[in-house]
Amino acid sequence: MGTGRLTIDLDAVQRNWRALAALAPGAEAGAVVKAGAYGLGLAPVATALARAGARSFFVAYAEEGAALRAALGPGPDIHVLTGHMEGDTETIRQARLIPALSSPDQVARHPEDLPFAVQLCTGMNRLGIREGDWTAVRAALPGTPALVMSHLACADEPDHPMNADQLAAFRRMTDGAGWRRSLAATGGILLGRDYHFDITRPGIGLYGGAPFAAAAPVVTLSLPVVQVRSISAGETVGYAAAWTAARPTRIATVAAGYADGLIRALSGRATLWHGMSPCTAVGRISMDLITVDITDLPDTPGALDILCPAQGIDALAGQAGTIGYEILTALGARYTRSYRQAS
Ligand SMILES: *Cc1c(COP(=O)(O)O)cnc(C)c1O
């Protein structure tokens, strides 16, 4: 097997879901599985979450909702975060999706005989009905919403004043209506009970990412060593001869590159691991290969790890100048994937 081995621990996903549910004990814990469960595989991850007890799922697009319905069967609620987009009515009807209507146009488009949610804008200015439009739109809703939701822009910064501002706006727009409400994603769960309302929407925390610091790690990624060579001081490695050996050096070339989501910004920055021993990627990351300085290892490994107990998605994201979400969703299609599951 020449390609990297990506292992996804479904038991850890289930543990993280239960832990996030326990942090918001008054609310139902939903599960956000957009973008193929953040790149980890929609059907295996969502079915593991359903087995753990999740009954309300959230995806970005109606197409994802239809795939999720096929994986989960008729029981769970499936909400579509972009709402009811043009051309989606039959998909929404057939897969029994709940679009979060997010503009006056979407409210007008949605038929009266289909369930819906409402997405309110409380200040993020990405999606959702604005407070100034709400009185009129509310009167035009095609029935009673199954859920009214909004999204926090700064929930990963607990002291950011926008959190309280958005909470206040959400309450102004929904207090007293008697509808089921949802405001908190992973970060909002950690802000405390004022933010929990009736149902939470954790995503990244399920998959082991910040800001859920207590998350169990979910992914490991091990890259086979294709070749090892010894070079002299003064020789260069890789495209553009961008790295020059300062000492006699052993270079291991491993099987993954930017086509597999290990973005080129990791060039010269990524750390790979042989057990607990760190090794630095040297030279440019290329499409299929990464070159690593293994001079200080006592032996020649068969593989090096880039996501492992010593280095989680947020640590690797820091090396790449990005966030754990992007590391996960970029994980490529070429890896040999396996799912670990005891229960
Ligand atoms: C992606 C998303 C979530 C999940 O956010 P996490 O930070 O991954 O927990 C929840 N709600 C909305 C509207 C989203 O777009």
Side-chain angles (χ1 to χ4, degrees):
M1 255 183 329
T3 60
R5 288 186 297 278
L6 180 66
T7 306
I8 295 144
D9 186 343
L10 295 175
D11 295 325
V13 174
Q14 291 176 324
R15 280 203 300 283
N16 290 333
W17 183 79
R18 290 193 190 99
L20 287 161
L23 287 171
E28 177 190 343
V32 179
V33 295
K34 60 192 180 188
Y38 290 40
L40 299 183
L42 179 64
V45 169
T47 49
L49 287 164
R51 270 200 303 281
R55 290 290 168 266
S56 293
F57 291 82
F58 295 84
V59 294
Y61 302 111
E63 287 82 353
E64 297 180 318
L68 182 58
R69 179 62 74 204
L72 292 181
D77 285 346
I78 300 175
H79 304 84
V80 179
L81 293 169
T82 53
H84 190 151
M85 290 167 69
E86 194 165 4
D88 282 347
T89 307
E90 272 321 293
T91 305
I92 287 167
R93 183 186 300 280
Q94 270 160 25
R96 294 191 308 98
L97 309 178
I98 304 173
L101 305 180
S102 61
S103 66
D105 283 355
Q106 290 199 355
V107 168
R109 179 177 298 137
H110 193 75
E112 280 179 11
D113 63 327
L114 297 180
F116 64 95
V118 170
Q119 175 138 231
L120 299 176
C121 179
T122 51
M124 188 167 175
N125 286 321
R126 183 178 69 168
L127 280 182
I129 296 159
R130 290 165 64 90
E131 195 167 1
D133 296 330
W134 179 222
T135 305
V137 174
R138 184 175 181 158
L141 290 178
T144 301
L147 185 68
V148 176
M149 53 167 286
S150 189
H151 194 46
L152 298 168
C154 305
D156 56 342
E157 294 177 61
D159 298 326
H160 200 293
M162 189 136 174
N163 293 319
D165 290 350
Q166 289 195 262
L167 175 61
F170 191 56
R171 298 199 63 152
R172 276 197 307 275
M173 294 167 81
T174 61
D175 269 358
W179 299 322
R180 270 168 52 92
R181 294 188 284 184
S182 176
L183 182 61
T186 302
I189 292 171
L190 302 172
L191 292 179
R193 58 176 301 179
D194 287 352
Y195 290 82
H196 295 163
F197 293 94
D198 300 300
I199 171 164
T200 60
R201 306 189 309 271
I204 192 68
L206 304 174
Y207 310 116
F212 186 32
V218 169
V219 282
T220 57
L221 178 55
S222 183
L223 307 178
V225 172
V226 184
Q227 276 196 10
V228 175
R229 68 194 52 228
S230 295
I231 63 172
S232 308
E235 286 194 87
T236 65
V237 173
Y239 281 122
W243 186 82
T244 306
R247 58 173 179 168
T249 301
R250 278 198 311 150
I251 297 290
T253 301
V254 301
Y258 60 74
D260 304 292
L262 300 174
I263 58 174
R264 201 160 161 281
L266 285 164
S267 297
R269 299 176 187 276
T271 302
L272 291 88
W273 295 80
H274 182 41
M276 292 307 287
S277 303
C279 307
T280 305
V282 296
R284 297 275 163 84
I285 290 188
S286 51
M287 189 182 294
D288 319 298
L289 298 165
I290 299 174
T291 40
V292 186
D293 182 347
I294 61 162
T295 312
D296 296 329
L297 293 181
D299 54 351
T300 300
L304 292 169
D305 300 333
I306 194 160
L307 292 169
C308 55
Q311 178 168 288
I313 55 171
D314 293 298
L316 183 63
Q319 294 161 19
T322 182
I323 54 176
Y325 298 72
E326 193 179 20
I327 294 291
L328 284 181
T329 55
L331 289 170
R334 290 195 294 192
Y335 299 125
T336 303
R337 291 177 177 233
S338 55
Y339 292 88
R340 190 180 302 148
Q341 177 142 59
S343 56

